[in-house]
């Protein structure tokens, strides 16, 4: 299936969750926010949130400052 990932077309197998996507991108365990179709997906829901064709996903890295 195809999704939009940070504005770019991205292909991944059917039935993948947000957690699966983050693992494929080697972002597991990092501080980040995930937006799916303009809604924030809480970290506790990453594994349960299954992606479907044409979903729009934005992954934003959290950056600390001082």
């Amino acid at each position: 299936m195809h999704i939009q990932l940070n504005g770019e077309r991205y292909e991944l197998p059917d039935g993948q969750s947000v957690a699966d996507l983050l693992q494929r991108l080697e972002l597991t365990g990092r501080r980040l926010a995930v937006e799916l179709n303009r809604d924030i997906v809480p970290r506790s829901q990453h594994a349960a949130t299954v992606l479907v064709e044409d979903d729009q996903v934005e992954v934003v890295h959290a950056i600390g400052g001082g």
Side-chain angles (χ1 to χ4, degrees), residues 48-60:
T49 303
V50 177
L51 300 169
V52 297
E53 185 77 23
D54 295 326
D55 270 346
Q56 294 183 14
V57 179
E58 296 290 327
V59 178
V60 180

Side-chain angles (χ1 to χ4, degrees), residues 30-34 43 59-65:
R30 297 198 186 180
R31 291 178 41 112
L32 46 82
V34 178
R43 183 181 299 268
V59 178
V60 180
H61 296 270
I63 299 173

Side-chain angles (χ1 to χ4, degrees), residues 16-24 28 45-49 51:
Q16 297 287 287
S17 68
V18 169
D20 295 328
L21 174 62
L22 295 177
Q23 185 173 16
R24 285 168 95 40
T28 303
Q45 295 298 311
H46 286 184
T49 303
L51 300 169

